[in-house]
Amino acid sequence: MIDVRNINAFYGGSHVLHDIDINIPTRARVAVIGRNGAGKSTLLKSIMNAGPRTEGDIRWEGASISRLPAYKRARLGIQLVPEDRRIYQHLTVVENILMSSSATVTGRTPLDISEMVARFPMIGPILERRGGQISGGQQQMVAIARAIACRPRALLLDEPTEGLAPAIVEKLADDVRAVAEREDMALLLCEQNIWFAKKTTDRVYVMDAGRIAFSGSWAEFDAQPEIKQRHLAV
Ligand SMILES: Nc1ncnc2c1ncn2[C@@H]1O[C@H](COP(=O)(O)OP(=O)(O)OP(=O)(O)O)[C@@H](O)[C@H]1O
Ligand SMILES: [Mg+2]
């Protein structure tokens, strides 16, 4: 579904991603893990065309999308939930979710609020609260709900567990997995929380200093403890 071929990414003169190849088959759930500064967010932004300058080819369903602006990639079916969540502080939760409907995937109907609450019960009681008046965990849930409302076929999730309490992380893992299955959606997750990544995905790429250092199943990852030692230990 998404095929990242030999991507190099740059911020000005700074070369951040080096020759990255990543393949995400239809409905697959894939994690990218790596230390701070490894290049995880840059990879997701490159796929969305939301920041870095990118060389190489990004394919969607076999066709190159490398020249498309971010909003056109969204209409094809890609949604990014960025690290900083970008919840509008002065709008209510409902308004935050409805605001995104212009990015709904071509040919699909946006989900209405009752359908969103059915998928994310945590947002039910806070629908009329303003973005600036909800907790970090609730903001993360709203950011994911807002992306899902557009009916994406691939969801790019950037460190959803950052700053969340362990009990919320567990709940979020269940909801993310369930919604990916229910929506027939591929998931590309960047995480430092390996527990969460294992719980929500089937395959893993390890990124180190802007390069892919490992790819395989979680069983293969677990069978090679030196990968963790070399590329993830601080
Ligand atoms: N807007 C920017 N301008 C210049 N350099 C940047 C910019 N954003 C990130 N970088 C640099 O690019 C490299 C990769 O950053 P990136 O944000 O992709 O890492 P990350 O793996 O997402 O890290 P973290 O786990 O801390 O979120 C880092 O060296 C970072 O300092
Ligand atoms: Mg990041």
Side-chain angles (χ1 to χ4, degrees), residues 9-12 14-17 32-45 51-52 83 158-159 162 190-192 207 209-210:
F10 307 83
Y11 294 107
S14 157
H15 190 174
V16 173
L17 296 186
V32 177
I33 60 177
R35 297 183 190 109
N36 289 120
K40 305 180 296 297
S41 299
T42 304
L43 171 66
L44 295 190
K45 288 176 191 161
E83 220 165 359
D158 198 352
E159 296 209 42
E162 204 185 358
C190 287
E191 256 305 337
Q192 299 215 41
M207 196 177 249

Side-chain angles (χ1 to χ4, degrees), residues 4 7 16-23 30-33 38-40 43 188 204-216 227 231:
V4 172
I7 283 294
V16 173
L17 296 186
H18 303 265
D19 309 327
I20 302 281
D21 288 305
I22 281 188
N23 184 258
V30 175
V32 177
I33 60 177
K40 305 180 296 297
L43 171 66
L188 179 59
V204 56
Y205 289 87
V206 175
M207 196 177 249
D208 191 354
R211 291 188 159 81
I212 299 297
F214 168 87
S215 78
I227 298 285
H231 301 291

Side-chain angles (χ1 to χ4, degrees), residues 87-104:
I87 298 297
Y88 296 102
Q89 305 288 302
H90 298 289
L91 299 182
T92 64
V93 167
V94 170
E95 288 164 344
N96 264 284
I97 292 172
L98 294 180
M99 275 281 288
S100 71
S101 59
S102 66
T104 301

